[in-house]
Amino acid sequence: MTNLKIARMGHPVLARPALPVQDPTSPRIRRLVEDMMETMKTASGVGLAAPQVGVPLRLVLFHIPAGRRRTEDAEEYGDPTEGVPLTVLINPQIEPLDETVVAAFEACLSIPGMTGLVPRHHRIRYRGVGLDGQEILREAEGFHARVVQHECDHLDGVLYPMRMSDLTTFGFADEIRLRYAPGPDAGG
Ligand code: NI
């Protein structure tokens, strides 16, 4: 496994739409995923999209640690986020399940050191294909839904600042932590 270089905001690979994966079960895709897993682990991220490692394909991976509390879950929506094991999602599609939109702080491995308050759909359904070629179909809410939306945005050249409605909440994470609690977590 190889720890890959992560493209940072401004690199053209992050700005253009990624292409569908033709054969999710191919050895080339499996190798890419192994390298992305290593890269995500090294960077302490919760998610990573293929364009972030310079590969313009529609593939993301993420994991949601159990019990993680976010402002949106703890304050308004009760239970802490349920854990989700490491998931590889190829050619994903997302649909919102209702109109509820919640703002929470996000960070991104391609925008190191920064954070911002990003409105996202609270409940979504997402589908895609796994490395075994089998369909994945899930409903998600809260932090889980947020991570999936963040990662899938990378496949369309969208970075979280482009989703922000109030840029006064965008800034360096260590400065923002002085104003808001709890602090933002590692992004994807
Ligand atoms: Ni990101």
Side-chain angles (χ1 to χ4, degrees):
M1 292 198 289
T2 308
N3 185 31
L4 303 169
K5 186 165 188 242
I6 298 177
R8 291 178 306 163
M9 187 168 70
H11 192 294
V13 75
L14 294 174
R16 60 176 181 248
L19 298 169
V21 175
Q22 298 300 330
D23 180 3
T25 65
S26 74
R28 187 172 74 99
I29 293 299
R30 181 167 292 276
R31 265 197 310 277
L32 169 65
V33 166
E34 285 173 1
D35 290 346
M36 285 175 64
M37 284 177 183
E38 178 73 12
T39 305
M40 184 172 76
K41 195 172 143 200
T42 303
S44 303
V46 293
L48 191 65
Q52 290 183 278
V53 295
V55 179
L57 290 175
R58 304 191 77 81
L59 183 156
V60 303
L61 48 91
F62 57 88
H63 68 110
I64 311 296
R68 173 172 229 148
R69 275 191 180 274
R70 307 289 298 194
T71 305
E72 63 190 289
D73 302 310
E75 302 292 331
E76 291 180 57
Y77 295 96
D79 298 335
T81 307
E82 277 180 39
V84 179
L86 184 64
T87 299
V88 178
L89 198 59
I90 298 168
N91 300 332
Q93 289 180 294
I94 294 176
E95 55 180 311
L97 287 176
D98 58 41
E99 302 291 307
T100 309
V101 169
V102 176
F105 280 99
E106 294 187 14
C108 179
L109 296 175
S110 294
I111 316 174
M114 310 291 287
T115 188
L117 199 53
V118 186
R120 299 280 187 189
H121 294 291
H122 182 61
R123 293 183 198 84
I124 61 168
R125 179 182 292 124
Y126 65 88
R127 67 180 76 219
V129 174
L131 276 177
D132 55 2
Q134 298 294 306
E135 189 188 46
I136 294 166
L137 174 62
R138 291 181 191 159
E139 292 185 0
E141 64 176 42
F143 186 57
H144 178 190
R146 176 171 300 277
V147 169
V148 173
Q149 289 171 88
H150 176 117
E151 296 312 327
C152 290
D153 264 356
H154 278 297
L155 308 181
D156 294 319
V158 175
L159 299 175
Y160 76 79
M162 298 157 71
R163 294 282 188 200
M164 292 179 63
S165 53
D166 178 4
L167 283 173
T168 66
T169 66
F170 183 54
F172 290 93
D174 48 3
E175 302 284 358
I176 295 269
R177 277 197 196 101
L178 301 176
R179 286 195 282 151
Y180 297 93
D185 297 296

